Amino acid sequence: MLSLSSSVILAVTVLSSFNVDAFSPIIAPSTITTTKQSPTTQLYGAKTDAVVGAVKAVGIGPATAGVAAAAAVGTIGIKAILDKPSRTYEDGSVAREYDSWTQDGILEYYWGEHIHLGYYTKEEMEAGYKKKNFIEAKYDFIDEMMKLGGIDPHLDAGAKVLDVGCGVGGTSRYLAKALGSKAEVTGITLSPNQVKRATELAEQQNVPNAKFTVMNALEMDFPDNSFDIVWACESGEHMPDKEAYINEMMRVLKPGGKYVMATWCQRDDREVPFSDKDKRDLNYLYEEWTHPYFISIEKYKELIDATGVMNEVTTADWKDETIASWRHSVWVGIYDPRGFIFKPHKYLKCVRDAYCLERMHRAFDRGLMEYGMFAATKKKD
């Protein structure tokens, strides 16, 4: 019988033998025959050859190999299902999905209070990212984002802060603690369940200066020039109108105030247009996690500049510092399945999410996606 570790190795080896987008097998020229076959026979024959090769590489006996190969080929059929996005963006879909993720508790179990990627130094990557605590990486990300935005616990003590797309409020509470009891941090999200959970955690942790409310970031209720700091971490991805998103944040920021944003971006395609594969991959990433669309780092900067109210914008691509998060997230689930094992009705969703995490990793790894970072201050009157 296959051990759990052997099964994981086999599955990863087999699935990585195929093109993620179109399921085309990667086969050495020497394995191609000249016998005329139907396209279907050729496809599944090639897949079976690849499976057998993967099984041999793992070092499993012939009898077990046959069963494993048959199971793996069946898995390929399941993969075809997983390649079809299931959560297309529509009106209300973002709030609905985050309500669901918050209610089932799986995301919080593994990701903790921070629903964003972590930060890994070059040295940590060289030593092996799995040696780093997955949750600690998220706190490190916040610290690095504060540095980029010029946010100082002493200089900004008592600041009025807006956290746009606050999730369950992990960063809001962290900032409220870091900036002191006189600071006021407001977190906004479309998800009522996230507001409820964020408020519960603030009460449990005795952080009364962090408040949460349901609000549309594209039509905020706050007056102009309301906040000393506007913070936005991985919320732009879900915004159907990127220009309105930027304009609203600039509007509520006080003159002289600090703005810092992190968001997933697609590469700028104006010089090198997207290939058909690029478009298919992006469409999957849009529609599996209810994103309307992504834009480039360059385009975001242009939108910020176009407001005419901001000083020079600092931009960066933190792909190298964050890319480990995608696969690290999958590994924490393998190491500790207790977060989902007793929730069989969530198994398919967990599989889909793990699969999308791998698709995200590959898109960032090949440069189709970038991790956009932005920092600027608002011009003084």
Side-chain angles (χ1 to χ4, degrees), residues 218 235-247 249 259 261-270 274 282 285-286 291-306 316-317 360 364 367-374:
L218 303 184
S235 55
E237 300 87 337
H238 292 296
M239 300 297 167
D241 187 336
K242 313 299 189 194
E243 182 176 9
Y245 172 61
I246 293 298
N247 288 346
M249 290 190 289
Y259 169 72
M261 177 176 74
T263 187
W264 310 342
C265 298
Q266 62 193 36
R267 70 168 176 81
D268 191 341
D269 67 327
R270 285 174 287 193
F274 292 131
L282 285 171
L285 300 180
Y286 296 160
H291 301 118
Y293 61 97
F294 305 134
I295 61 175
S296 67
I297 292 174
E298 292 83 357
K299 182 60 179 177
Y300 266 119
K301 183 180 184 302
E302 290 169 8
L303 290 175
I304 296 171
D305 288 339
D317 179 3
M360 277 288 187
F364 276 88
L368 178 61
M369 294 289 291
E370 300 174 339
Y371 198 95
M373 299 297 301
F374 307 82

Side-chain angles (χ1 to χ4, degrees), residues 88-116:
T88 302
Y89 177 86
E90 61 184 15
D91 187 33
S93 63
V94 174
R96 182 173 65 246
E97 289 301 324
Y98 277 107
D99 272 349
S100 176
W101 276 319
T102 305
Q103 187 171 7
D104 66 39
I106 296 174
L107 189 61
E108 185 178 336
Y109 182 88
Y110 290 113
W111 287 52
E113 302 177 34
H114 304 277
I115 310 174
H116 58 76

Side-chain angles (χ1 to χ4, degrees), residues 305-330:
D305 288 339
T307 66
V309 300
M310 302 299 287
N311 291 311
E312 182 64 27
V313 182
T314 297
T315 67
D317 179 3
W318 280 9
K319 185 267 287 185
D320 291 341
E321 293 84 352
T322 59
I323 192 170
S325 298
W326 303 110
R327 286 181 173 171
H328 204 172
S329 181
V330 176

Side-chain angles (χ1 to χ4, degrees), residues 27-253:
I27 305 170
S30 60
T31 65
I32 301 174
T33 66
T34 57
T35 304
K36 188 174 183 180
Q37 298 171 317
S38 70
T40 301
T41 301
Q42 290 175 349
L43 179 61
Y44 280 91
K47 289 176 180 177
T48 302
D49 289 342
V51 169
V52 172
V55 168
K56 289 180 179 178
V58 176
I60 299 170
T64 305
V67 175
V73 172
T75 301
I76 292 170
I78 296 174
K79 186 175 182 297
I81 297 174
L82 297 179
D83 275 331
K84 184 177 181 180
S86 64
R87 288 166 278 192
T88 302
Y89 177 86
E90 61 184 15
D91 187 33
S93 63
V94 174
R96 182 173 65 246
E97 289 301 324
Y98 277 107
D99 272 349
S100 176
W101 276 319
T102 305
Q103 187 171 7
D104 66 39
I106 296 174
L107 189 61
E108 185 178 336
Y109 182 88
Y110 290 113
W111 287 52
E113 302 177 34
H114 304 277
I115 310 174
H116 58 76
L117 301 190
Y119 188 96
Y120 301 76
T121 65
K122 181 180 179 182
E123 292 74 22
E124 288 168 337
M125 292 295 290
E126 290 174 348
Y129 67 84
K130 292 195 290 294
K131 293 181 180 179
K132 182 167 186 172
N133 182 282
F134 183 61
I135 303 299
E136 179 187 345
K138 297 172 180 295
Y139 285 100
D140 288 347
F141 182 94
I142 300 171
D143 289 337
E144 294 298 328
M145 187 167 169
M146 288 178 68
K147 292 177 186 176
L148 180 71
I151 300 170
D152 184 280
H154 300 291
L155 296 177
D156 294 305
K160 192 173 182 181
V161 182
L162 175 64
D163 184 1
V164 182
C166 63
V168 295
T171 299
S172 299
R173 291 185 295 276
Y174 188 88
L175 292 172
K177 296 172 187 176
L179 300 181
S181 59
K182 293 183 179 180
E184 297 178 17
V185 181
T186 301
I188 65 171
T189 172
L190 291 173
S191 166
N193 281 357
Q194 286 188 328
V195 167
K196 180 175 180 292
R197 182 58 178 152
T199 302
E200 290 173 351
L201 290 170
E203 292 173 352
Q204 291 173 16
Q205 298 171 14
N206 191 28
V207 189
N209 56 329
K211 305 293 185 182
F212 306 93
T213 187
V214 174
M215 189 180 296
N216 183 353
L218 303 184
E219 297 176 344
M220 289 190 271
D221 298 335
F222 307 115
D224 295 354
N225 309 321
S226 293
F227 297 95
D228 301 296
I229 298 170
V230 172
W231 177 287
C233 183
E234 297 187 8
S235 55
E237 300 87 337
H238 292 296
M239 300 297 167
D241 187 336
K242 313 299 189 194
E243 182 176 9
Y245 172 61
I246 293 298
N247 288 346
E248 275 293 272
M249 290 190 289
M250 304 302 97
R251 179 183 68 79
V252 301
L253 183 63

